[in-house]
Amino acid sequence: MTYDLWYWAEIPGRGEFVRLTLEAAGIAYRDMAREQGSDAMMKDMASRHPRPFAPPYLVAGDLCIAQTANVLRFLAERHGLGPADEAGRLLVHQVQLTIADLVEEIHGVHHPVDPGLYYHDQKPEALRAAQAFRADRLPKYLGWFETLLADAGGAWLAGDRWSCADLSLFHLVAGLDYAFPLRMGALAADISRVRALHDRVHRLPELADYLASDRCLGFNEDGLFRHYPELDAA
Amino acid sequence: MTYDLWYWAEIPGRGEFVRLTLEAAGIAYRDMAREQGSDAMMKDMASRHPRPFAPPYLVAGDLCIAQTANVLRFLAERHGLGPADEAGRLLVHQVQLTIADLVEEIHGVHHPVDPGLYYHDQKPEALRAAQAFRADRLPKYLGWFETLLADAGGAWLAGDRWSCADLSLFHLVAGLDYAFPLRMGALAADISRVRALHDRVHRLPELADYLASDRCLGFNEDGLFRHYPELDAA
C-alpha cells in the first residue's frame, strides 16, 4: 500500500518526523501537499471524517491518522520498526511524546503569546521566552535525552536498531543547531551522547539518498526551527 | 496487580487524566505522592532507569511508563478500554494527544514566557496570550471536538462505550469552566455536544464515588487550570 502523507509543502516542520521514518524504512508514500499544494491539503482535511485537527496526517487506505506521534506509532507497529518488547515500545513512544513537548516549547519561543500573529508582533515577549528556554528548558530536555542514552548503553535509545525516536531526535538536534547555534555550541560538552546519536543517524545508509535529495527541505523562518540571531546566545 | 501512580500531590494537573481512567475502570492503584509526598516522588523519579522526564508516571511491575497519553494507551490496551477496532483506537489516541496540546496551550496562557517563574512575573504577557487564546485557539479546539462528536453520531467520541478520551474531555471542560467561566458561557451555544459529553461523564455511575470523595481534588491556582479573572472575558 502506498501511503498519502499530508503536510505543509513549504517547511520541514512536524511532517519531517514522519518523513524520516518513511524514508529510512523504505516505505512507499506520496507527499501530497508537495504535489498538489497546501490549498489542496486544506480541502482534503476538511473533507475527512473524522477530520484531523492539524497536519501532519497519514492516509492509509480507509484509515486517516493524525498527530505525529500517533502516526509514528502506527508505522512502527505495522512495519515492525523499533524494539519488539513492550518496555521498549512504551519507551520509544514516551520519547516521541517528550520530543513533541519540546517542539511545542521551541515554537513557543518565537510565538510566546499568539500563534496567529507574526514573530515581529511578539518580539519583546520572544526575547524573554528565549532567555528562559536557553537557560533552563533546553538543557533540561537535552540532559534527559543524554541520560536515556547513557542508560541504554548502546547505539540507540531503545533496542539494537534505530526507532522513530532516534530519527526524531536527530531531526530535533539538527533543528536546534540551526535555530540556536551559539547555545548548542556552549552545551556541546554536556550532550556528547546526543551528538553522537545525531551523527549516527546522519550517516545511516538508508537515509543517504533522501538527505541528499531536494525532497529534504532546509530549515527556514516559516517553520518550527527558526534562526533569529537575537534569540540565541551562548 | 496494583499500579503505582506518581503525580504531584497538591493539584489535579495532568495526573487527573490518568486517575479518572483508573477510577472509572475500577483498576487498583496507589496514589503514591499523595501517600508519601512530592519529595518522595522526586527521589523515586531520579532512581528510575529510564527516568521519566516529568510526572505523571505509572509503575506497573517492571514497567515504568511516563507521558499521560502513553500511560492511558497502555491502560486501554491492557484492560480492554475503549474501541477494539484499529480506527477507533487510533482516533482515541489522536484525541488524547490533541487534548495534551490544548492543555499545554492552557498552561502557556498563564506562563507565556517562562514556566519557571510565577504568573505575576509574566502578567502583561499573560494578558496578551489570554486574549489570543480566548479569541482563536479555544474556539478552534472546542469546535474540533464538537465536529468529532457530530461525526461519531452517538454518545461517545469513538465506539459504544466511554474511552479515556471521553473522560479526559470531561476533565478538560471542567477545567476550562473553572479557568474561563465567562468565555465558556459565551461559547455555550456552539459546543452543545461537548457539554452533553461532559455531563454524561459527570453522571457515570462508575465515577460517582470518586467524584464525591476527597481524593478528587478541586482546581487551584497552582495547577494547570487557574482562575485569574483578568484573563477571562466573554
Side-chain angles (χ1 to χ4, degrees):
Chain A
M1 178 197 296
T2 297
Y3 297 118
D4 287 346
L5 171 66
W6 288 92
Y7 190 70
W8 304 111
E10 302 80 10
I11 58 170
R14 286 178 176 84
E16 196 66 12
F17 296 109
V18 178
R19 219 173 264 124
L20 282 171
T21 287
L22 291 166
E23 294 282 350
I27 298 169
Y29 72 104
R30 293 185 297 184
D31 211 331
M32 298 299 284
R34 294 261 178 97
E35 291 179 19
Q36 303 183 7
S38 291
D39 283 351
M41 180 173 74
M42 298 312 286
K43 227 163 153 176
D44 180 82
M45 198 160 67
S47 75
R48 300 269 165 202
H49 299 278
R51 171 168 66 80
F53 182 75
Y57 61 97
L58 189 82
V59 180
D62 289 340
L63 295 172
C64 174
I65 310 147
Q67 279 282 357
T68 309
N70 198 30
V71 174
L72 290 172
R73 204 178 187 291
F74 166 81
L75 290 173
E77 254 179 42
R78 186 164 284 199
H79 297 274
L81 311 174
D85 64 301
E86 186 173 32
R89 285 185 291 118
L90 286 163
L91 178 61
V92 164
H93 198 51
Q94 178 179 327
V95 173
Q96 197 67 51
L97 292 174
T98 308
I99 289 174
D101 287 346
L102 174 50
V103 162
E104 186 54 37
E105 292 196 35
I106 290 165
H107 184 267
V109 169
H110 50 76
H111 279 76
V113 294
D114 188 349
L117 287 179
Y118 290 110
Y119 163 62
H120 60 71
D121 292 324
Q122 46 199 314
K123 210 168 148 180
E125 293 91 342
L127 288 168
R128 272 195 88 186
Q131 197 168 19
F133 178 75
R134 291 192 312 265
D136 301 321
R137 304 300 289 172
L138 182 60
K140 185 176 173 181
Y141 275 104
L142 293 178
W144 183 69
F145 297 126
E146 192 72 14
T147 306
L148 286 190
L149 285 164
D151 278 349
W156 308 107
L157 282 160
D160 53 9
R161 221 202 131 199
W162 59 259
S163 70
C164 57
D166 296 292
L167 306 183
S168 295
L169 187 52
F170 155 73
H171 184 62
L172 178 75
V173 170
L176 288 166
D177 286 340
Y178 174 80
F180 301 98
L182 298 177
R183 190 65 185 130
M184 288 298 278
L187 290 171
D190 302 326
I191 57 167
S192 57
R193 289 184 180 86
V194 169
R195 177 60 59 192
L197 180 93
H198 166 277
D199 296 350
R200 200 171 294 129
V201 173
H202 196 226
R203 287 191 309 262
L204 279 177
E206 49 269 60
L207 278 177
D209 283 352
Y210 173 67
L211 295 179
S213 75
D214 57 9
R215 301 196 308 285
C216 179
L217 293 185
F219 297 106
N220 63 52
E221 280 58 56
D222 293 318
L224 286 172
F225 300 100
R226 303 185 183 192
H227 182 52
Y228 296 125
E230 63 275 20
L231 301 186
D232 188 26
Chain B
M1 179 196 295
T2 297
Y3 297 119
D4 287 346
L5 170 66
W6 288 94
Y7 190 70
W8 306 109
E10 302 80 11
I11 57 170
R14 288 178 174 84
E16 196 65 12
F17 296 110
V18 179
R19 219 173 264 123
L20 282 171
T21 287
L22 291 166
E23 294 282 349
I27 298 170
Y29 72 104
R30 294 185 297 182
D31 211 331
M32 298 300 284
R34 294 262 178 95
E35 290 179 21
Q36 304 183 8
S38 291
D39 284 349
M41 180 173 74
M42 299 311 285
K43 225 163 154 177
D44 181 83
M45 198 159 69
S47 75
R48 300 269 166 202
H49 302 276
R51 171 169 67 81
F53 182 74
Y57 61 97
L58 189 81
V59 180
D62 290 338
L63 296 171
C64 175
I65 310 147
Q67 279 281 357
T68 309
N70 198 29
V71 174
L72 290 172
R73 203 177 188 290
F74 165 82
L75 290 173
E77 252 179 42
R78 186 164 284 199
H79 296 274
L81 311 174
D85 64 302
E86 186 173 31
R89 283 185 291 118
L90 287 164
L91 178 61
V92 164
H93 199 51
Q94 177 179 328
V95 172
Q96 197 67 51
L97 293 173
T98 309
I99 289 174
D101 287 345
L102 174 50
V103 162
E104 186 54 38
E105 293 196 35
I106 290 165
H107 184 267
V109 169
H110 50 76
H111 278 77
V113 293
D114 188 348
L117 287 180
Y118 290 109
Y119 163 63
H120 60 71
D121 293 323
Q122 46 198 313
K123 210 168 147 180
E125 293 92 343
L127 289 167
R128 272 195 88 185
Q131 196 169 21
F133 178 76
R134 292 193 312 266
D136 301 322
R137 303 301 290 171
L138 182 59
K140 184 175 174 184
Y141 276 103
L142 293 177
W144 183 70
F145 296 124
E146 192 73 13
T147 307
L148 285 190
L149 286 164
D151 278 349
W156 309 106
L157 282 161
D160 53 9
R161 220 202 132 199
W162 59 259
S163 70
C164 58
D166 296 293
L167 306 183
S168 295
L169 187 53
F170 154 73
H171 183 63
L172 178 76
V173 169
L176 288 166
D177 285 342
Y178 174 80
F180 301 98
L182 299 176
R183 189 63 186 133
M184 288 298 279
L187 290 170
D190 303 325
I191 57 166
S192 57
R193 288 184 180 86
V194 169
R195 178 60 59 191
L197 179 94
H198 166 277
D199 296 350
R200 201 171 293 128
V201 172
H202 196 225
R203 289 190 309 262
L204 279 177
E206 50 268 60
L207 278 177
D209 283 352
Y210 172 66
L211 295 179
S213 75
D214 57 9
R215 301 197 308 285
C216 179
L217 293 186
F219 297 105
N220 63 53
E221 279 58 55
D222 294 317
L224 286 172
F225 300 99
R226 304 185 182 193
H227 182 52
Y228 296 125
E230 63 275 20
L231 300 186
D232 189 26

